[in-house]
Amino acid sequence: MTTEPQRFTILLVPEHVVDSGGASVEDSAVRSAVVEATGESGASGYPRYVGHGIVADIDPSTRTVEAMLVDGAELDYGLTARVTAAS
């Protein structure tokens, strides 16, 4: 039996950052947040995670963000969400 992760870190990274010159994704992020599982499914059907102004439906097996709101609004153009395991 597999269990879904209870927490992820979401990093918002500018799309134009193709080669970060050796910097880590964390160093290139303009915002980060640890989100925790709510136990509910979002409109996308995937588990909902919430934290620090971010609400995201995340596919836990692929770590793909299926839907997201940042401070109650859609993600700004030019930003990409990256999901990593929370420490």
Side-chain angles (χ1 to χ4, degrees):
M1 180 176 141
T2 61
T3 59
E4 295 173 352
Q6 293 301 299
R7 134 179 350 117
F8 285 110
T9 298
I10 294 180
L11 304 169
L12 301 182
V13 181
E15 285 182 351
H16 71 273
V17 178
V18 176
D19 180 12
S20 57
S24 68
V25 173
E26 290 84 0
D27 291 338
S28 300
V30 296
R31 182 168 174 178
S32 66
V34 175
V35 293
E36 298 196 20
T38 65
E40 300 174 355
S41 293
S44 68
Y46 288 95
R48 175 148 298 164
Y49 293 80
V50 175
H52 303 280
I54 295 179
V55 177
D57 298 355
I58 300 173
D59 178 345
S61 62
T62 63
R63 295 185 180 175
T64 301
V65 176
E66 299 295 338
M68 179 178 354
L69 294 175
V70 178
D71 298 330
E74 293 183 9
L75 188 62
D76 288 338
Y77 288 107
L79 292 178
T80 302
R82 303 270 177 108
V83 177
T84 63
S87 50

mmCIF file of all heavy atoms in Angstrom, residues 26-56:
data_model
loop_
_atom_site.group_PDB
_atom_site.id
_atom_site.type_symbol
_atom_site.label_atom_id
_atom_site.label_comp_id
_atom_site.label_asym_id
_atom_site.label_seq_id
_atom_site.Cartn_x
_atom_site.Cartn_y
_atom_site.Cartn_z
ATOM 1 N N GLU A 26 16.285 26.156 -5.979
ATOM 2 C CA GLU A 26 15.891 26.930 -4.799
ATOM 3 C C GLU A 26 16.443 28.351 -4.872
ATOM 4 O O GLU A 26 15.771 29.303 -4.484
ATOM 5 C CB GLU A 26 16.373 26.256 -3.511
ATOM 6 C CG GLU A 26 15.638 24.962 -3.181
ATOM 7 C CD GLU A 26 16.210 23.747 -3.894
ATOM 8 O OE1 GLU A 26 17.198 23.870 -4.673
ATOM 9 O OE2 GLU A 26 15.657 22.656 -3.696
ATOM 10 N N ASP A 27 17.671 28.522 -5.364
ATOM 11 C CA ASP A 27 18.274 29.849 -5.476
ATOM 12 C C ASP A 27 17.618 30.679 -6.570
ATOM 13 O O ASP A 27 17.653 31.907 -6.524
ATOM 14 C CB ASP A 27 19.776 29.741 -5.746
ATOM 15 C CG ASP A 27 20.546 29.205 -4.548
ATOM 16 O OD1 ASP A 27 20.027 29.302 -3.413
ATOM 17 O OD2 ASP A 27 21.660 28.692 -4.743
ATOM 18 N N SER A 28 17.024 30.024 -7.576
ATOM 19 C CA SER A 28 16.388 30.728 -8.685
ATOM 20 C C SER A 28 14.926 31.075 -8.403
ATOM 21 O O SER A 28 14.332 31.859 -9.126
ATOM 22 C CB SER A 28 16.454 29.870 -9.957
ATOM 23 O OG SER A 28 17.788 29.593 -10.294
ATOM 24 N N ALA A 29 14.355 30.491 -7.360
ATOM 25 C CA ALA A 29 12.938 30.695 -7.054
ATOM 26 C C ALA A 29 12.683 32.115 -6.545
ATOM 27 O O ALA A 29 13.478 32.669 -5.796
ATOM 28 C CB ALA A 29 12.480 29.692 -6.007
ATOM 29 N N VAL A 30 11.560 32.684 -6.985
ATOM 30 C CA VAL A 30 11.151 33.996 -6.491
ATOM 31 C C VAL A 30 10.247 33.854 -5.269
ATOM 32 O O VAL A 30 10.022 34.828 -4.548
ATOM 33 C CB VAL A 30 10.455 34.838 -7.584
ATOM 34 C CG1 VAL A 30 11.425 35.152 -8.707
ATOM 35 C CG2 VAL A 30 9.221 34.139 -8.114
ATOM 36 N N ARG A 31 9.732 32.644 -5.054
ATOM 37 C CA ARG A 31 8.905 32.380 -3.882
ATOM 38 C C ARG A 31 8.900 30.882 -3.626
ATOM 39 O O ARG A 31 8.950 30.084 -4.557
ATOM 40 C CB ARG A 31 7.474 32.874 -4.121
ATOM 41 C CG ARG A 31 6.554 32.695 -2.932
ATOM 42 C CD ARG A 31 5.279 33.455 -3.131
ATOM 43 N NE ARG A 31 4.333 33.178 -2.061
ATOM 44 C CZ ARG A 31 3.151 33.756 -1.989
ATOM 45 N NH1 ARG A 31 2.772 34.617 -2.909
ATOM 46 N NH2 ARG A 31 2.335 33.474 -1.000
ATOM 47 N N SER A 32 8.815 30.516 -2.369
ATOM 48 C CA SER A 32 8.696 29.106 -2.021
ATOM 49 C C SER A 32 7.691 28.972 -0.885
ATOM 50 O O SER A 32 7.460 29.920 -0.122
ATOM 51 C CB SER A 32 10.041 28.516 -1.609
ATOM 52 O OG SER A 32 10.485 29.110 -0.406
ATOM 53 N N ALA A 33 7.092 27.802 -0.796
ATOM 54 C CA ALA A 33 6.127 27.540 0.263
ATOM 55 C C ALA A 33 6.064 26.048 0.534
ATOM 56 O O ALA A 33 6.128 25.240 -0.390
ATOM 57 C CB ALA A 33 4.741 28.043 -0.133
ATOM 58 N N VAL A 34 5.941 25.703 1.797
ATOM 59 C CA VAL A 34 5.664 24.325 2.181
ATOM 60 C C VAL A 34 4.150 24.213 2.273
ATOM 61 O O VAL A 34 3.501 24.988 2.961
ATOM 62 C CB VAL A 34 6.325 23.970 3.525
ATOM 63 C CG1 VAL A 34 5.910 22.573 3.961
ATOM 64 C CG2 VAL A 34 7.835 24.072 3.411
ATOM 65 N N VAL A 35 3.607 23.266 1.520
ATOM 66 C CA VAL A 35 2.164 23.042 1.514
ATOM 67 C C VAL A 35 1.879 21.681 2.123
ATOM 68 O O VAL A 35 2.646 20.741 1.939
ATOM 69 C CB VAL A 35 1.570 23.157 0.088
ATOM 70 C CG1 VAL A 35 1.673 24.582 -0.419
ATOM 71 C CG2 VAL A 35 2.254 22.207 -0.888
ATOM 72 N N GLU A 36 0.768 21.589 2.851
ATOM 73 C CA GLU A 36 0.406 20.353 3.526
ATOM 74 C C GLU A 36 -0.935 19.845 3.019
ATOM 75 O O GLU A 36 -1.809 20.635 2.653
ATOM 76 C CB GLU A 36 0.356 20.578 5.031
ATOM 77 C CG GLU A 36 1.722 20.982 5.558
ATOM 78 C CD GLU A 36 1.842 20.848 7.057
ATOM 79 O OE1 GLU A 36 1.043 20.111 7.668
ATOM 80 O OE2 GLU A 36 2.743 21.474 7.609
ATOM 81 N N ALA A 37 -1.071 18.534 3.021
ATOM 82 C CA ALA A 37 -2.308 17.898 2.548
ATOM 83 C C ALA A 37 -3.488 18.306 3.415
ATOM 84 O O ALA A 37 -3.374 18.386 4.633
ATOM 85 C CB ALA A 37 -2.146 16.385 2.567
ATOM 86 N N THR A 38 -4.623 18.565 2.764
ATOM 87 C CA THR A 38 -5.846 18.922 3.485
ATOM 88 C C THR A 38 -6.726 17.701 3.721
ATOM 89 O O THR A 38 -7.655 17.770 4.507
ATOM 90 C CB THR A 38 -6.666 19.965 2.702
ATOM 91 O OG1 THR A 38 -7.109 19.367 1.475
ATOM 92 C CG2 THR A 38 -5.873 21.220 2.444
ATOM 93 N N GLY A 39 -6.443 16.608 3.004
ATOM 94 C CA GLY A 39 -7.302 15.430 3.085
ATOM 95 C C GLY A 39 -8.458 15.493 2.109
ATOM 96 O O GLY A 39 -9.270 14.571 2.043
ATOM 97 N N GLU A 40 -8.541 16.576 1.344
ATOM 98 C CA GLU A 40 -9.599 16.748 0.357
ATOM 99 C C GLU A 40 -9.020 16.657 -1.044
ATOM 100 O O GLU A 40 -7.818 16.827 -1.236
ATOM 101 C CB GLU A 40 -10.262 18.113 0.528
ATOM 102 C CG GLU A 40 -10.890 18.333 1.882
ATOM 103 C CD GLU A 40 -11.412 19.745 2.059
ATOM 104 O OE1 GLU A 40 -11.204 20.581 1.153
ATOM 105 O OE2 GLU A 40 -12.012 20.010 3.093
ATOM 106 N N SER A 41 -9.898 16.435 -2.000
ATOM 107 C CA SER A 41 -9.503 16.487 -3.405
ATOM 108 C C SER A 41 -9.939 17.825 -3.974
ATOM 109 O O SER A 41 -11.003 18.333 -3.615
ATOM 110 C CB SER A 41 -10.154 15.364 -4.201
ATOM 111 O OG SER A 41 -9.646 14.118 -3.786
ATOM 112 N N GLY A 42 -9.133 18.382 -4.857
ATOM 113 C CA GLY A 42 -9.491 19.635 -5.499
ATOM 114 C C GLY A 42 -10.395 19.392 -6.691
ATOM 115 O O GLY A 42 -10.769 18.249 -6.999
ATOM 116 N N ALA A 43 -10.737 20.457 -7.397
ATOM 117 C CA ALA A 43 -11.596 20.365 -8.581
ATOM 118 C C ALA A 43 -10.969 19.484 -9.653
ATOM 119 O O ALA A 43 -11.671 18.875 -10.458
ATOM 120 C CB ALA A 43 -11.880 21.755 -9.133
ATOM 121 N N SER A 44 -9.646 19.400 -9.670
ATOM 122 C CA SER A 44 -8.944 18.578 -10.661
ATOM 123 C C SER A 44 -9.052 17.092 -10.348
ATOM 124 O O SER A 44 -8.723 16.256 -11.179
ATOM 125 C CB SER A 44 -7.474 18.974 -10.715
ATOM 126 O OG SER A 44 -6.836 18.608 -9.489
ATOM 127 N N GLY A 45 -9.467 16.762 -9.109
ATOM 128 C CA GLY A 45 -9.543 15.363 -8.702
ATOM 129 C C GLY A 45 -8.306 14.887 -7.960
ATOM 130 O O GLY A 45 -8.286 13.784 -7.421
ATOM 131 N N TYR A 46 -7.277 15.704 -7.922
ATOM 132 C CA TYR A 46 -6.044 15.350 -7.226
ATOM 133 C C TYR A 46 -6.069 15.899 -5.801
ATOM 134 O O TYR A 46 -6.815 16.829 -5.495
ATOM 135 C CB TYR A 46 -4.831 15.902 -7.977
ATOM 136 C CG TYR A 46 -4.571 15.159 -9.259
ATOM 137 C CD1 TYR A 46 -5.068 15.635 -10.461
ATOM 138 C CD2 TYR A 46 -3.869 13.960 -9.253
ATOM 139 C CE1 TYR A 46 -4.859 14.935 -11.646
ATOM 140 C CE2 TYR A 46 -3.656 13.254 -10.431
ATOM 141 C CZ TYR A 46 -4.147 13.745 -11.615
ATOM 142 O OH TYR A 46 -3.943 13.045 -12.774
ATOM 143 N N PRO A 47 -5.242 15.344 -4.920
ATOM 144 C CA PRO A 47 -5.214 15.815 -3.541
ATOM 145 C C PRO A 47 -4.866 17.308 -3.458
ATOM 146 O O PRO A 47 -4.038 17.797 -4.217
ATOM 147 C CB PRO A 47 -4.115 14.982 -2.881
ATOM 148 C CG PRO A 47 -3.983 13.775 -3.740
ATOM 149 C CD PRO A 47 -4.313 14.225 -5.129
ATOM 150 N N ARG A 48 -5.513 17.992 -2.515
ATOM 151 C CA ARG A 48 -5.296 19.423 -2.324
ATOM 152 C C ARG A 48 -4.274 19.640 -1.204
ATOM 153 O O ARG A 48 -4.322 18.992 -0.172
ATOM 154 C CB ARG A 48 -6.605 20.108 -1.958
ATOM 155 C CG ARG A 48 -6.384 21.563 -1.626
ATOM 156 C CD ARG A 48 -7.505 22.448 -1.987
ATOM 157 N NE ARG A 48 -7.754 22.443 -3.423
ATOM 158 C CZ ARG A 48 -8.876 22.901 -3.947
ATOM 159 N NH1 ARG A 48 -9.825 23.359 -3.194
ATOM 160 N NH2 ARG A 48 -9.036 22.887 -5.263
ATOM 161 N N TYR A 49 -3.348 20.564 -1.465
ATOM 162 C CA TYR A 49 -2.308 20.951 -0.511
ATOM 163 C C TYR A 49 -2.390 22.462 -0.316
ATOM 164 O O TYR A 49 -2.600 23.209 -1.276
ATOM 165 C CB TYR A 49 -0.924 20.572 -1.048
ATOM 166 C CG TYR A 49 -0.699 19.075 -1.142
ATOM 167 C CD1 TYR A 49 -1.207 18.331 -2.202
ATOM 168 C CD2 TYR A 49 0.006 18.401 -0.157
ATOM 169 C CE1 TYR A 49 -1.018 16.966 -2.284
ATOM 170 C CE2 TYR A 49 0.210 17.031 -0.228
ATOM 171 C CZ TYR A 49 -0.298 16.325 -1.298
ATOM 172 O OH TYR A 49 -0.111 14.961 -1.372
ATOM 173 N N VAL A 50 -2.200 22.919 0.923
ATOM 174 C CA VAL A 50 -2.357 24.336 1.244
ATOM 175 C C VAL A 50 -1.243 24.783 2.172
ATOM 176 O O VAL A 50 -0.825 24.044 3.067
ATOM 177 C CB VAL A 50 -3.721 24.567 1.945
ATOM 178 C CG1 VAL A 50 -3.871 26.004 2.405
ATOM 179 C CG2 VAL A 50 -4.870 24.177 1.043
ATOM 180 N N GLY A 51 -0.773 26.027 1.953
ATOM 181 C CA GLY A 51 0.190 26.614 2.880
ATOM 182 C C GLY A 51 0.788 27.893 2.354
ATOM 183 O O GLY A 51 1.024 28.031 1.156
ATOM 184 N N HIS A 52 1.009 28.849 3.230
ATOM 185 C CA HIS A 52 1.704 30.105 2.931
ATOM 186 C C HIS A 52 1.140 30.831 1.712
ATOM 187 O O HIS A 52 1.869 31.324 0.871
ATOM 188 C CB HIS A 52 3.202 29.863 2.749
ATOM 189 C CG HIS A 52 3.832 29.206 3.932
ATOM 190 N ND1 HIS A 52 4.184 29.888 5.059
ATOM 191 C CD2 HIS A 52 4.131 27.904 4.175
ATOM 192 C CE1 HIS A 52 4.689 29.041 5.948
ATOM 193 N NE2 HIS A 52 4.652 27.833 5.439
ATOM 194 N N GLY A 53 -0.189 30.874 1.614
ATOM 195 C CA GLY A 53 -0.839 31.598 0.527
ATOM 196 C C GLY A 53 -1.004 30.816 -0.757
ATOM 197 O O GLY A 53 -1.502 31.338 -1.750
ATOM 198 N N ILE A 54 -0.589 29.563 -0.770
ATOM 199 C CA ILE A 54 -0.694 28.736 -1.975
ATOM 200 C C ILE A 54 -1.667 27.591 -1.740
ATOM 201 O O ILE A 54 -1.611 26.922 -0.708
ATOM 202 C CB ILE A 54 0.683 28.195 -2.411
ATOM 203 C CG1 ILE A 54 1.576 29.358 -2.837
ATOM 204 C CG2 ILE A 54 0.547 27.154 -3.518
ATOM 205 C CD1 ILE A 54 2.960 28.970 -3.274
ATOM 206 N N VAL A 55 -2.564 27.402 -2.704
ATOM 207 C CA VAL A 55 -3.488 26.264 -2.716
ATOM 208 C C VAL A 55 -3.198 25.525 -4.007
ATOM 209 O O VAL A 55 -3.274 26.108 -5.099
ATOM 210 C CB VAL A 55 -4.965 26.728 -2.690
ATOM 211 C CG1 VAL A 55 -5.889 25.535 -2.777
ATOM 212 C CG2 VAL A 55 -5.244 27.564 -1.453
ATOM 213 N N ALA A 56 -2.835 24.242 -3.901
ATOM 214 C CA ALA A 56 -2.450 23.499 -5.096
ATOM 215 C C ALA A 56 -3.028 22.095 -5.083
ATOM 216 O O ALA A 56 -3.063 21.444 -4.035
ATOM 217 C CB ALA A 56 -0.926 23.417 -5.199
#
